[in-house]
Amino acid sequence: SLTSKPTDVPDNSILVEKDTARRYWFSPQTGTTTTTYDHYTSTGSQFDGLFTGNIIRGGIKIVSGSPAIDTYIQKVKLSVKKLGSPSGNLTITVRDDSDTILASGTLANSSITTSYADYEITLDSAVKLAINYRVMGEYSGGDGSNNFIMEMQQTTIESGYENTKHNGSAYSSYGTGYRPSFTFDSTPTSITLPATWTLGFVDERGV
């Protein structure tokens, strides 16, 4: 029998194992995103500015007990403004526990004003969240006079989440009493998930 199966095939393809006569169907799968971390507000305090030499990533870390674990995310809502005239765009990412980017979306510089406003960014793919994953706003560039600033609330973050930032070298916390003003999928939506091989035939030998 096969120890691995191809994934770069059309939906509804059939695979037959010659030695066992098992047949598998390659079927598309669907799911629904879930509103979990939901603390968007446009009346909070603010993150430090995102720019090279200061903080280049800021956002949320999923920790033990989080209601977001095993749910899907494809949209992130946040409040942000720009200071001065930074070049480049703000990127929203989902990073796994190895810090690999699993999905991302772009908020164009031209859309961001010098006053706080809310934006919802659609990621390029849906991600199933797990412990130690991070949902981040990211920007590397600019300086102390030209950067992007994301809002937060001055209150304790709920159980299952931590605030988190990265200075270009390592992650750390913003400290207690700060809750980033993000929402994960404010309106749950249907999503297409990676197709899977499903066993659909057993031959006369009972294999």
Side-chain angles (χ1 to χ4, degrees):
S1 62
L2 296 174
T3 57
S4 63
K5 300 176 179 66
T7 56
D8 56 342
V9 298
D11 291 342
N12 302 313
S13 295
I14 298 175
L15 180 149
V16 180
E17 293 180 340
K18 289 184 177 180
D19 58 339
T20 66
R22 289 177 177 147
R23 296 186 180 189
Y24 297 85
W25 275 260
F26 194 64
S27 305
Q29 305 292 313
T30 59
T32 304
T33 60
T34 303
T35 302
T36 50
Y37 184 86
D38 187 12
H39 292 290
Y40 170 79
T41 178
S42 58
T43 59
S45 181
Q46 64 185 40
F47 283 140
D48 292 335
L50 296 175
F51 59 90
T52 299
N54 184 48
I55 299 168
I56 61 171
R57 308 174 198 164
I60 303 295
K61 181 180 179 181
I62 311 299
V63 297
S64 178
S66 174
I69 293 172
D70 291 332
T71 67
Y72 286 92
I73 182 174
Q74 193 164 27
K75 294 181 180 180
V76 178
K77 184 179 180 181
L78 76 162
S79 177
V80 63
K81 69 178 181 179
K82 62 184 173 185
L83 178 66
S85 300
S87 59
N89 302 316
L90 180 68
T91 302
I92 306 301
T93 64
V94 179
R95 292 176 174 266
D96 67 13
D97 53 0
S98 298
D99 209 33
T100 299
I101 295 176
L102 302 180
S104 65
T106 299
L107 178 56
N109 188 326
S110 58
S111 299
I112 304 173
T113 70
T114 54
S115 298
Y116 285 119
D118 59 308
Y119 305 88
E120 188 163 51
I121 296 88
T122 299
L123 305 173
D124 53 16
S125 63
V127 175
K128 189 175 185 179
L129 294 172
I131 192 169
N132 294 327
Y133 279 30
R134 289 178 169 90
V135 180
M136 309 294 286
E138 305 194 14
Y139 175 67
S140 55
D143 54 36
S145 300
N146 302 279
N147 55 69
F148 297 111
I149 303 173
M150 299 185 296
E151 250 180 327
M152 66 165 55
Q153 295 169 279
Q154 290 184 287
T155 187
T156 301
I157 196 167
E158 72 177 285
S159 177
Y161 303 97
E162 294 178 355
N163 63 54
T164 182
K165 61 182 178 178
H166 195 284
N167 63 6
S169 299
Y171 283 104
S172 61
S173 170
Y174 283 99
T176 58
Y178 294 96
R179 183 167 67 187
S181 297
F182 283 25
T183 290
F184 299 170
D185 285 271
S186 62
T187 304
T189 55
S190 297
I191 52 175
T192 299
L193 306 175
T196 60
W197 288 105
T198 303
L199 179 64
F201 178 84
V202 179
D203 77 356
E204 61 184 8
R205 295 171 296 170
V207 179

